[in-house]
Amino acid sequence: MAPEGNKTEVMISCQPYVSCVLLRIFPYLIGVVIICGNLLIIMSVIYFKQLHTPTNYLILSLAVSDLLIGLLIIPLNAEFNMDYCRTHGGLVCIAQQCIRVTLTTASILNLMCISIDRYYAVCKPLVYKTTITLNVVVFMILLSWSSSFLLSIGFVVAEINYAKCGEKCYIDVFIANVSGPNFTFFLPTIIMLCIYAKIFFVAQKQARSIQNRTYPNRTVRKTEGKATKTLVIIMGAFLICCSPLFIFLMILFINKVSVSVEVIDFLSWLIMSNSLLNPFIYAFFYSWYRSAFKIVISGKMSLGHFSHIRLE
């Protein structure tokens, strides 16, 4: 009977070990997928001349921020989670928080810039090329990244001061817990919702105008359905991934209640998962990106003479 008892003990003790290993590996698997997906976008935009457009440069900036999230934030978050930083602190945790705020804010602001670009492309097509120029796009990208960095520095300094003096530092508490979510999430989200709502109504109006001229009802319904589906996917994925944490933090600050760090960690991982979805939403949706990815993955890019190829 002894050997059977020992065997049972071994089987029971192995199960938690396997679970721990899977939980340990899972974040790195997500990071690898994020890196690979966004690296495909970066290589495609840089290599193929057809993709050298203002819109694709904005998508490139978004891919860089998402790539860095997979490359830096996910490994740091796996090694130094919120519970570790709360109990140990240190320079690594401060740097991690600064990098996380910078990259997540840059990703959100890049999404907002893309929505502005799409607004001019759909709603003001006659002035699009003269308004959204290369210089304007470069300015938008630099503004997004510099604003993200400055905001992250301000939030980290505010939280450090708050840790030292507690509730006496009301201004620091306000900056870290109220102004932070407003500037990094709520304000860009409201702007994007307004822009995409305008795009949707303009696209519907254009589709009906075309219907009155040449297209049958089925074609117009298909066009409107495709526009609706695209906007729902873009904003739906963003809101599902990002809104829970920011809304949760605001509720915690207003009600002054405590919550387990596991909940905050989970909601933080949910935000980072948006970097996994962005390549599929903003790149896989377009056929020319799919063609570019096939060339990159097949290794034909190394043969040369593909940079000027017509992507369809």
Side-chain angles (χ1 to χ4, degrees):
M1 297 296 294
E4 293 181 0
N6 292 337
K7 183 177 181 181
T8 304
E9 291 178 2
V10 171
M11 291 177 64
I12 294 174
S13 62
C14 282
Q15 290 177 355
Y17 175 77
V18 173
S19 300
C20 290
V21 170
L22 291 176
L23 290 174
R24 186 75 172 175
I25 294 175
F26 184 69
Y28 292 98
L29 293 177
I30 295 178
V32 169
V33 176
I34 291 175
I35 292 170
C36 292
N38 288 284
L39 194 59
L40 278 173
I41 297 176
I42 294 170
M43 294 174 66
S44 298
V45 174
I46 293 176
Y47 181 76
F48 295 100
K49 301 296 182 182
Q50 183 180 337
L51 301 181
H52 290 184
T53 64
T55 303
N56 290 314
Y57 288 139
L58 290 172
I59 294 177
L60 173 64
S61 178
L62 173 66
V64 170
S65 63
D66 291 336
L67 173 70
L68 292 175
I69 288 175
L71 194 63
L72 298 177
I73 296 302
I74 287 185
L76 284 173
N77 205 60
E79 296 295 331
F80 307 98
N81 58 20
M82 189 166 292
D83 186 47
Y84 174 89
C85 289
R86 186 184 65 173
T87 56
H88 294 81
L91 184 61
V92 174
C93 291
I94 294 175
Q96 176 198 10
Q97 184 176 4
C98 184
I99 296 172
R100 181 173 66 244
V101 173
T102 299
L103 295 180
T104 53
T105 305
S107 182
I108 293 173
L109 294 182
N110 280 316
L111 289 171
M112 187 180 70
C113 290
I114 292 173
S115 69
I116 295 173
D117 171 84
R118 292 298 84 205
Y119 168 78
Y120 277 94
V122 176
C123 302
K124 299 180 181 293
L126 297 179
V127 299
Y128 173 73
K129 289 187 178 181
T130 57
T131 304
I132 308 298
T133 62
L134 180 60
N135 291 334
V136 171
V137 167
V138 171
F139 175 77
M140 292 169 69
I141 292 173
L142 292 177
L143 184 63
S144 298
W145 282 94
S146 59
S147 300
S148 301
F149 178 72
L150 292 175
L151 285 171
S152 69
I153 295 296
F155 301 153
V156 170
V157 170
E159 289 197 5
I160 291 175
N161 291 338
Y162 174 60
K164 292 179 180 179
C165 60
E167 294 294 338
K168 296 179 181 179
C169 303
Y170 177 77
I171 295 178
D172 294 317
V173 177
F174 180 82
I175 292 174
N177 295 280
V178 178
S179 298
N182 285 337
F183 282 109
T184 60
F185 176 73
F186 291 111
L187 182 59
T189 299
I190 292 172
I191 292 174
M192 282 190 284
L193 285 173
C194 293
I195 288 174
Y196 281 125
K198 177 67 174 179
I199 292 174
F200 173 69
F201 289 124
V202 169
Q204 278 193 324
K205 184 178 179 180
Q206 291 174 348
R208 293 193 183 100
S209 177
I210 294 173
Q211 175 190 13
N212 295 332
R213 296 177 184 177
T214 55
Y215 285 4
N217 293 336
R218 179 181 296 181
T219 304
V220 175
R221 285 197 297 268
K222 184 178 180 181
T223 302
E224 292 182 359
K226 185 177 181 180
T228 305
K229 182 179 179 180
T230 303
L231 297 179
V232 167
I233 291 175
I234 290 172
M235 287 308 301
F238 173 74
L239 292 173
I240 290 172
C241 291
C242 298
S243 59
L245 176 62
F246 289 100
I247 294 173
F248 193 69
L249 290 176
M250 291 292 290
I251 293 174
L252 289 181
F253 177 73
I254 294 172
N255 295 330
K256 298 184 183 299
V257 295
S258 60
V259 69
S260 64
V261 294
E262 287 80 7
V263 175
I264 304 295
D265 273 333
F266 171 76
L267 295 179
S268 298
W269 279 106
L270 192 60
I271 284 185
M272 287 182 282
S273 67
N274 192 52
S275 300
L276 174 68
L277 299 176
N278 284 336
F280 296 94
I281 296 173
Y282 286 93
F284 283 28
F285 182 80
Y286 300 105
S287 60
W288 53 84
Y289 269 107
R290 290 195 294 271
S291 300
F293 292 162
K294 290 178 182 178
I295 295 174
V296 173
I297 294 173
S298 65
K300 294 180 180 178
M301 203 172 69
S302 60
L303 301 177
H305 308 294
F306 278 94
S307 60
H308 292 83
I309 192 173
R310 178 71 178 175
L311 300 172
E312 297 180 356

